[in-house]
Amino acid sequence: MLFVSLRVLGSRSVKDRRRVTKSLLDRIRGRWNVSAMDLGPDGSWSEVFLGVAAVASGVQMTDERLNSVFSFLCAEEESGEFTIIDHWREVNSYDDISHAKNK
């Protein structure tokens, strides 16, 4: 999973925010075949919290895919439409969860 907090620069409405966010999400989904979503906050004109999830046959492949998505966002940040505030990434292997018990 990759979570990225963004601020849309110069946004004067939720519509401006949505335009930037939708463009990013469409390109991320199409290029890397991952699940990506705008997680909120609802009603904010400029704050965006993106979530990206990837599943692959190995930890390295998943890690590389999420690194590529984050590199893409960093490159797109130079367009001046948004700035990255923070990010967080977590990659788990099957071994990490295979022995977990359902509670």
Side-chain angles (χ1 to χ4, degrees):
M1 296 177 288
L2 171 67
F3 298 99
V4 183
S5 177
L6 309 172
R7 179 166 292 119
V8 178
L9 304 173
S11 178
R12 291 178 277 169
S13 67
V14 174
K15 187 175 182 178
D16 288 343
R17 175 192 182 277
R18 189 178 306 123
R19 177 188 54 78
V20 172
T21 304
K22 183 175 176 359
S23 174
L24 287 172
L25 292 173
D26 288 346
R27 289 182 286 159
I28 288 168
R29 288 180 191 126
R31 191 168 180 183
W32 287 282
N33 192 27
V34 295
S35 293
M37 185 173 190
D38 176 357
L39 300 173
D42 290 338
S44 173
W45 289 9
S46 61
E47 293 182 33
V48 179
F49 193 67
L50 299 180
V52 180
V55 177
S57 60
V59 172
Q60 183 177 353
M61 181 184 284
T62 305
D63 198 43
E64 288 173 1
R65 189 170 294 171
L66 293 176
N67 279 336
S68 295
V69 171
F70 187 68
S71 293
F72 164 77
L73 289 170
C74 290
E76 287 297 307
E77 181 180 26
E78 294 181 19
S79 73
E81 287 191 305
F82 66 89
T83 187
I84 296 171
I85 304 301
D86 198 7
H87 74 285
W88 174 72
R89 188 181 66 207
E90 181 177 331
V91 177
N92 292 317
S93 71
Y94 175 75
D95 292 338
D96 294 339
I97 61 171
S98 64
H99 300 295
K101 303 216 187 247
N102 259 342
K103 295 183 179 186

PDB file of all heavy atoms in Angstrom, residues 1 58-60 62 89-102:
ATOM      1  N   MET A   1       0.835  -1.170   0.000  1.00  0.00           N
ATOM      2  CA  MET A   1       0.000   0.000   0.000  1.00  0.00           C
ATOM      3  C   MET A   1       0.884   1.239   0.000  1.00  0.00           C
ATOM      4  O   MET A   1       1.944   1.253   0.610  1.00  0.00           O
ATOM      5  CB  MET A   1      -0.900   0.021   1.221  1.00  0.00           C
ATOM      6  CG  MET A   1      -1.891  -1.120   1.274  1.00  0.00           C
ATOM      7  SD  MET A   1      -2.876  -1.084   2.772  1.00  0.00           S
ATOM      8  CE  MET A   1      -1.625  -1.570   3.951  1.00  0.00           C
ATOM      9  N   GLY A  58       5.458 -11.323  -5.838  1.00  0.00           N
ATOM     10  CA  GLY A  58       6.615 -11.207  -4.945  1.00  0.00           C
ATOM     11  C   GLY A  58       6.709  -9.831  -4.335  1.00  0.00           C
ATOM     12  O   GLY A  58       6.199  -8.851  -4.885  1.00  0.00           O
ATOM     13  N   VAL A  59       7.365  -9.753  -3.198  1.00  0.00           N
ATOM     14  CA  VAL A  59       7.540  -8.489  -2.493  1.00  0.00           C
ATOM     15  C   VAL A  59       8.311  -7.493  -3.355  1.00  0.00           C
ATOM     16  O   VAL A  59       7.954  -6.315  -3.430  1.00  0.00           O
ATOM     17  CB  VAL A  59       8.252  -8.722  -1.141  1.00  0.00           C
ATOM     18  CG1 VAL A  59       8.624  -7.409  -0.480  1.00  0.00           C
ATOM     19  CG2 VAL A  59       7.390  -9.551  -0.224  1.00  0.00           C
ATOM     20  N   GLN A  60       9.356  -7.954  -4.017  1.00  0.00           N
ATOM     21  CA  GLN A  60      10.178  -7.058  -4.829  1.00  0.00           C
ATOM     22  C   GLN A  60       9.366  -6.423  -5.956  1.00  0.00           C
ATOM     23  O   GLN A  60       9.472  -5.224  -6.201  1.00  0.00           O
ATOM     24  CB  GLN A  60      11.379  -7.804  -5.410  1.00  0.00           C
ATOM     25  CG  GLN A  60      12.300  -6.901  -6.204  1.00  0.00           C
ATOM     26  CD  GLN A  60      13.533  -7.630  -6.714  1.00  0.00           C
ATOM     27  OE1 GLN A  60      13.777  -8.775  -6.383  1.00  0.00           O
ATOM     28  NE2 GLN A  60      14.310  -6.944  -7.517  1.00  0.00           N
ATOM     29  N   THR A  62       6.113  -5.926  -6.044  1.00  0.00           N
ATOM     30  CA  THR A  62       5.169  -4.978  -5.452  1.00  0.00           C
ATOM     31  C   THR A  62       5.882  -3.701  -5.050  1.00  0.00           C
ATOM     32  O   THR A  62       5.405  -2.592  -5.325  1.00  0.00           O
ATOM     33  CB  THR A  62       4.484  -5.606  -4.223  1.00  0.00           C
ATOM     34  OG1 THR A  62       3.885  -6.834  -4.602  1.00  0.00           O
ATOM     35  CG2 THR A  62       3.430  -4.688  -3.649  1.00  0.00           C
ATOM     36  N   ARG A  89       4.425   4.131   2.925  1.00  0.00           N
ATOM     37  CA  ARG A  89       4.321   2.907   2.131  1.00  0.00           C
ATOM     38  C   ARG A  89       4.551   1.704   3.022  1.00  0.00           C
ATOM     39  O   ARG A  89       5.404   1.720   3.906  1.00  0.00           O
ATOM     40  CB  ARG A  89       5.359   2.928   1.009  1.00  0.00           C
ATOM     41  CG  ARG A  89       5.175   1.781   0.042  1.00  0.00           C
ATOM     42  CD  ARG A  89       6.202   1.794  -1.017  1.00  0.00           C
ATOM     43  NE  ARG A  89       7.494   1.539  -0.387  1.00  0.00           N
ATOM     44  CZ  ARG A  89       8.640   1.960  -0.857  1.00  0.00           C
ATOM     45  NH1 ARG A  89       8.700   2.659  -1.937  1.00  0.00           N
ATOM     46  NH2 ARG A  89       9.763   1.685  -0.232  1.00  0.00           N
ATOM     47  N   GLU A  90       3.789   0.650   2.746  1.00  0.00           N
ATOM     48  CA  GLU A  90       3.952  -0.605   3.473  1.00  0.00           C
ATOM     49  C   GLU A  90       3.772  -1.755   2.487  1.00  0.00           C
ATOM     50  O   GLU A  90       2.798  -1.791   1.738  1.00  0.00           O
ATOM     51  CB  GLU A  90       2.913  -0.717   4.577  1.00  0.00           C
ATOM     52  CG  GLU A  90       3.047  -1.984   5.397  1.00  0.00           C
ATOM     53  CD  GLU A  90       2.055  -2.045   6.543  1.00  0.00           C
ATOM     54  OE1 GLU A  90       1.665  -0.997   7.056  1.00  0.00           O
ATOM     55  OE2 GLU A  90       1.674  -3.174   6.898  1.00  0.00           O
ATOM     56  N   VAL A  91       4.717  -2.673   2.513  1.00  0.00           N
ATOM     57  CA  VAL A  91       4.651  -3.862   1.664  1.00  0.00           C
ATOM     58  C   VAL A  91       4.777  -5.078   2.563  1.00  0.00           C
ATOM     59  O   VAL A  91       5.740  -5.191   3.328  1.00  0.00           O
ATOM     60  CB  VAL A  91       5.763  -3.865   0.592  1.00  0.00           C
ATOM     61  CG1 VAL A  91       5.718  -5.148  -0.227  1.00  0.00           C
ATOM     62  CG2 VAL A  91       5.653  -2.645  -0.313  1.00  0.00           C
ATOM     63  N   ASN A  92       3.818  -5.966   2.489  1.00  0.00           N
ATOM     64  CA  ASN A  92       3.829  -7.197   3.275  1.00  0.00           C
ATOM     65  C   ASN A  92       3.962  -8.395   2.344  1.00  0.00           C
ATOM     66  O   ASN A  92       3.459  -8.377   1.235  1.00  0.00           O
ATOM     67  CB  ASN A  92       2.540  -7.348   4.079  1.00  0.00           C
ATOM     68  CG  ASN A  92       2.428  -6.320   5.180  1.00  0.00           C
ATOM     69  OD1 ASN A  92       3.394  -6.060   5.872  1.00  0.00           O
ATOM     70  ND2 ASN A  92       1.272  -5.717   5.314  1.00  0.00           N
ATOM     71  N   SER A  93       4.610  -9.427   2.846  1.00  0.00           N
ATOM     72  CA  SER A  93       4.704 -10.665   2.079  1.00  0.00           C
ATOM     73  C   SER A  93       3.664 -11.643   2.590  1.00  0.00           C
ATOM     74  O   SER A  93       3.108 -11.481   3.685  1.00  0.00           O
ATOM     75  CB  SER A  93       6.103 -11.266   2.208  1.00  0.00           C
ATOM     76  OG  SER A  93       6.297 -11.783   3.513  1.00  0.00           O
ATOM     77  N   TYR A  94       3.437 -12.668   1.825  1.00  0.00           N
ATOM     78  CA  TYR A  94       2.496 -13.708   2.224  1.00  0.00           C
ATOM     79  C   TYR A  94       2.896 -14.301   3.574  1.00  0.00           C
ATOM     80  O   TYR A  94       2.044 -14.571   4.411  1.00  0.00           O
ATOM     81  CB  TYR A  94       2.444 -14.796   1.151  1.00  0.00           C
ATOM     82  CG  TYR A  94       1.585 -15.971   1.536  1.00  0.00           C
ATOM     83  CD1 TYR A  94       0.205 -15.873   1.511  1.00  0.00           C
ATOM     84  CD2 TYR A  94       2.155 -17.176   1.943  1.00  0.00           C
ATOM     85  CE1 TYR A  94      -0.595 -16.940   1.885  1.00  0.00           C
ATOM     86  CE2 TYR A  94       1.375 -18.246   2.317  1.00  0.00           C
ATOM     87  CZ  TYR A  94      -0.004 -18.126   2.276  1.00  0.00           C
ATOM     88  OH  TYR A  94      -0.789 -19.184   2.648  1.00  0.00           O
ATOM     89  N   ASP A  95       4.188 -14.466   3.801  1.00  0.00           N
ATOM     90  CA  ASP A  95       4.675 -15.029   5.068  1.00  0.00           C
ATOM     91  C   ASP A  95       4.271 -14.165   6.269  1.00  0.00           C
ATOM     92  O   ASP A  95       4.072 -14.680   7.359  1.00  0.00           O
ATOM     93  CB  ASP A  95       6.193 -15.183   5.054  1.00  0.00           C
ATOM     94  CG  ASP A  95       6.645 -16.244   4.062  1.00  0.00           C
ATOM     95  OD1 ASP A  95       5.834 -17.120   3.721  1.00  0.00           O
ATOM     96  OD2 ASP A  95       7.799 -16.171   3.632  1.00  0.00           O
ATOM     97  N   ASP A  96       4.150 -12.840   6.044  1.00  0.00           N
ATOM     98  CA  ASP A  96       3.767 -11.949   7.131  1.00  0.00           C
ATOM     99  C   ASP A  96       2.342 -12.199   7.610  1.00  0.00           C
ATOM    100  O   ASP A  96       2.021 -11.970   8.767  1.00  0.00           O
ATOM    101  CB  ASP A  96       3.871 -10.481   6.701  1.00  0.00           C
ATOM    102  CG  ASP A  96       5.301 -10.050   6.427  1.00  0.00           C
ATOM    103  OD1 ASP A  96       6.233 -10.716   6.931  1.00  0.00           O
ATOM    104  OD2 ASP A  96       5.480  -9.060   5.715  1.00  0.00           O
ATOM    105  N   ILE A  97       1.498 -12.664   6.708  1.00  0.00           N
ATOM    106  CA  ILE A  97       0.081 -12.814   7.064  1.00  0.00           C
ATOM    107  C   ILE A  97      -0.416 -14.251   7.025  1.00  0.00           C
ATOM    108  O   ILE A  97      -1.511 -14.531   7.476  1.00  0.00           O
ATOM    109  CB  ILE A  97      -0.807 -11.950   6.152  1.00  0.00           C
ATOM    110  CG1 ILE A  97      -0.662 -12.365   4.686  1.00  0.00           C
ATOM    111  CG2 ILE A  97      -0.510 -10.479   6.361  1.00  0.00           C
ATOM    112  CD1 ILE A  97      -1.648 -11.723   3.755  1.00  0.00           C
ATOM    113  N   SER A  98       0.372 -15.172   6.522  1.00  0.00           N
ATOM    114  CA  SER A  98      -0.107 -16.541   6.334  1.00  0.00           C
ATOM    115  C   SER A  98      -0.427 -17.252   7.633  1.00  0.00           C
ATOM    116  O   SER A  98      -1.250 -18.158   7.662  1.00  0.00           O
ATOM    117  CB  SER A  98       0.892 -17.367   5.518  1.00  0.00           C
ATOM    118  OG  SER A  98       2.099 -17.489   6.223  1.00  0.00           O
ATOM    119  N   HIS A  99       0.197 -16.840   8.717  1.00  0.00           N
ATOM    120  CA  HIS A  99      -0.044 -17.496   9.996  1.00  0.00           C
ATOM    121  C   HIS A  99      -0.975 -16.677  10.903  1.00  0.00           C
ATOM    122  O   HIS A  99      -1.206 -17.053  12.040  1.00  0.00           O
ATOM    123  CB  HIS A  99       1.277 -17.763  10.725  1.00  0.00           C
ATOM    124  CG  HIS A  99       2.185 -18.648   9.928  1.00  0.00           C
ATOM    125  ND1 HIS A  99       1.891 -19.950   9.641  1.00  0.00           N
ATOM    126  CD2 HIS A  99       3.362 -18.376   9.324  1.00  0.00           C
ATOM    127  CE1 HIS A  99       2.865 -20.471   8.905  1.00  0.00           C
ATOM    128  NE2 HIS A  99       3.779 -19.528   8.700  1.00  0.00           N
ATOM    129  N   ALA A 100      -1.473 -15.574  10.374  1.00  0.00           N
ATOM    130  CA  ALA A 100      -2.376 -14.750  11.167  1.00  0.00           C
ATOM    131  C   ALA A 100      -3.697 -15.475  11.373  1.00  0.00           C
ATOM    132  O   ALA A 100      -4.166 -16.228  10.499  1.00  0.00           O
ATOM    133  CB  ALA A 100      -2.623 -13.434  10.447  1.00  0.00           C
ATOM    134  N   LYS A 101      -4.271 -15.289  12.501  1.00  0.00           N
ATOM    135  CA  LYS A 101      -5.536 -15.940  12.814  1.00  0.00           C
ATOM    136  C   LYS A 101      -6.664 -14.929  12.653  1.00  0.00           C
ATOM    137  O   LYS A 101      -6.527 -13.775  13.020  1.00  0.00           O
ATOM    138  CB  LYS A 101      -5.523 -16.464  14.239  1.00  0.00           C
ATOM    139  CG  LYS A 101      -4.391 -17.424  14.494  1.00  0.00           C
ATOM    140  CD  LYS A 101      -4.855 -18.496  15.417  1.00  0.00           C
ATOM    141  CE  LYS A 101      -3.645 -19.344  15.787  1.00  0.00           C
ATOM    142  NZ  LYS A 101      -3.629 -20.633  15.331  1.00  0.00           N
ATOM    143  N   ASN A 102      -7.767 -15.395  12.096  1.00  0.00           N
ATOM    144  CA  ASN A 102      -8.953 -14.560  12.026  1.00  0.00           C
ATOM    145  C   ASN A 102      -9.545 -14.411  13.403  1.00  0.00           C
ATOM    146  O   ASN A 102      -9.764 -15.381  14.088  1.00  0.00           O
ATOM    147  CB  ASN A 102     -10.011 -15.186  11.108  1.00  0.00           C
ATOM    148  CG  ASN A 102     -10.030 -14.566   9.761  1.00  0.00           C
ATOM    149  OD1 ASN A 102      -9.504 -13.472   9.582  1.00  0.00           O
ATOM    150  ND2 ASN A 102     -10.653 -15.222   8.821  1.00  0.00           N
TER     151      ASN A 102
END
